[in-house]
Amino acid sequence: MFQRLAILALLCSISTVAHAFVPVTTRSASFGVRTTTLSKTSELSATEAAVDENFDDVDLERLLGRRRLNKLVRKYEAAARAAEEAAAAPAETAAPAETAAAAPSSPARIIIAGAPASGKGTQCEMIKAKYGVVHLSTGDMLRAAVADQTEVGVKAKEFMDAGKLVPDEVIIGVVKDRLDQEDCKSCGWLLDGFPRTPGQADALAEAGVTADCFLFLDVPDEILVERVVGRRTDPVTGKIYHMTFSPPDDEEVAARLEQRSDDTEEKVKVRLEQFHANVDAVKGSYTDIMVTVNGNQKPDEVASVIGGAIEAKLAA
């Protein structure tokens, strides 16, 4: 390829020579042997002489000499390689710059609260994907601590085996141990639905755990009731449907859907009353970093508001 580029450049640069000589090819009728001679002409221009793009009939070696031809080919090959390397260099160095620009200055520390069916689970997944934080729920942390047989995990297991609620001081110990692990320190963390009570919020502060942003997903109770009551679960696949917003297309699947025993209107209202009583008190501990987000929107719209709120708090 380089040699053909060099040849093309050479033909353009020796227009005066090409004007004087053009190749004439003859073929022996009896033996089919091709020979090339040079004849002088005043009728063909240099452009017309170079019409053959493959240059099959141009004996450049004879025209310019082997040594000069090789020297010029090497020159054009080197120039072409240098041009390719220069063109590739910016693309190789641009990626790290973009990555560095996108990376946050410090790991985010976020608390998110929301009533049942407020869309908190969906937003947690989006926050985790965007900011790379460690998503933490008290249930997951308790189970991990028990499985790892940590000191607080062993204490928690004693209460759980006895069918008792795990005390706040034990739960705080589990949370504090988890937040002290390296992934939370380097990547940041997202506490999902914790603290749930004013006592837990106070204990968390006393343990030296502080957050950058407290997000509260605000959804009207009547919407929450509609979301919960309409939920159904496929016992075969475990997939959750909603009879109003996302019903199954398959009639066979629809026929086997089940409703959770606590997804009735009466029980949902009781759960909401308990939630509001606790969260209103918890919000008082985070007034300086709290952001209330309208959760009665499409998930992408909610995520956009949350993203702006987190970035504003991190920049403060």
Side-chain angles (χ1 to χ4, degrees):
M1 176 181 177
F2 288 121
Q3 188 169 2
R4 290 196 174 184
L5 290 173
I7 291 171
L8 180 58
L10 285 170
L11 286 177
C12 294
S13 66
I14 58 172
S15 59
T16 56
V17 178
H19 183 74
F21 298 96
V22 294
V24 176
T25 302
T26 61
R27 186 177 300 272
S28 171
S30 57
F31 299 102
V33 177
R34 191 168 84 170
T35 60
T36 303
T37 60
L38 295 175
S39 62
K40 193 170 182 179
T41 179
S42 59
E43 298 178 358
L44 294 178
S45 67
T47 303
E48 291 171 328
V51 168
D52 183 0
E53 294 181 353
N54 294 319
F55 311 110
D56 292 334
D57 293 328
V58 178
D59 192 344
L60 287 175
E61 183 178 328
R62 181 178 176 185
L63 182 64
L64 300 174
R66 176 185 293 274
R67 180 176 298 178
R68 183 183 179 192
L69 179 61
N70 289 341
K71 181 178 179 181
L72 290 172
V73 167
R74 286 194 297 270
K75 175 183 175 182
Y76 282 103
E77 285 178 346
R81 280 194 298 270
E84 288 182 358
E85 291 172 1
E92 294 174 359
T93 57
E98 292 176 2
T99 302
S105 56
S106 61
R109 299 166 299 176
I110 307 164
I111 298 173
I112 186 169
S118 62
K120 180 164 60 68
T122 299
Q123 294 306 317
C124 283
E125 290 302 315
M126 291 183 173
I127 294 171
K128 177 183 175 182
K130 183 174 183 178
Y131 295 99
V133 293
V134 181
H135 180 203
L136 302 170
S137 68
T138 51
D140 290 341
M141 286 186 283
L142 277 171
R143 284 187 288 272
V146 170
D148 294 340
Q149 296 184 341
T150 64
E151 182 179 349
V152 290
V154 171
K155 291 180 181 179
K157 189 175 186 301
E158 293 175 358
F159 289 98
M160 294 164 69
D161 289 345
K164 299 178 181 180
L165 291 175
V166 180
D168 282 352
E169 60 267 22
V170 176
I171 293 179
I172 292 297
V174 170
V175 173
K176 183 69 166 57
D177 283 356
R178 184 65 185 89
L179 296 182
D180 283 339
Q181 293 182 18
E182 187 57 36
D183 58 344
C184 290
K185 289 181 178 180
S186 60
C187 301
W189 43 262
L190 170 64
L191 277 177
D192 180 357
F194 186 87
R196 287 189 173 90
T197 66
Q200 290 176 346
D202 293 340
L204 206 59
E206 290 173 3
V209 177
T210 59
D212 300 307
C213 184
F214 181 95
L215 300 167
F216 174 63
L217 294 180
D218 187 21
V219 181
D221 281 2
E222 59 271 20
I223 300 298
L224 294 171
V225 170
E226 182 182 11
R227 288 180 180 179
V228 172
V229 172
R231 289 192 304 204
R232 299 292 186 275
T233 304
D234 184 347
V236 175
T237 64
K239 184 176 180 180
I240 298 176
Y241 295 90
H242 195 283
M243 302 313 293
T244 301
F245 306 124
S246 58
D249 297 325
D250 192 317
E251 293 182 2
E252 183 179 348
V253 173
R256 68 175 184 242
L257 294 182
E258 297 176 350
Q259 184 180 30
R260 280 175 44 177
S261 59
D262 58 346
D263 277 356
T264 62
E265 184 171 349
E266 296 76 14
K267 292 183 178 180
V268 171
K269 288 182 177 179
V270 172
R271 288 158 60 193
L272 288 176
E273 288 176 4
Q274 295 174 343
F275 169 79
H276 288 306
N278 287 323
V279 79
D280 287 344
V282 169
K283 287 191 293 185
S285 301
Y286 299 102
T287 52
D288 56 333
I289 60 169
M290 189 182 74
V291 178
T292 300
V293 180
N294 178 12
N296 192 25
Q297 307 177 77
K298 293 179 180 179
D300 288 345
E301 296 174 349
V302 175
S304 177
V305 175
I306 286 176
I310 291 174
E311 288 162 18
K313 292 298 182 183
L314 290 176

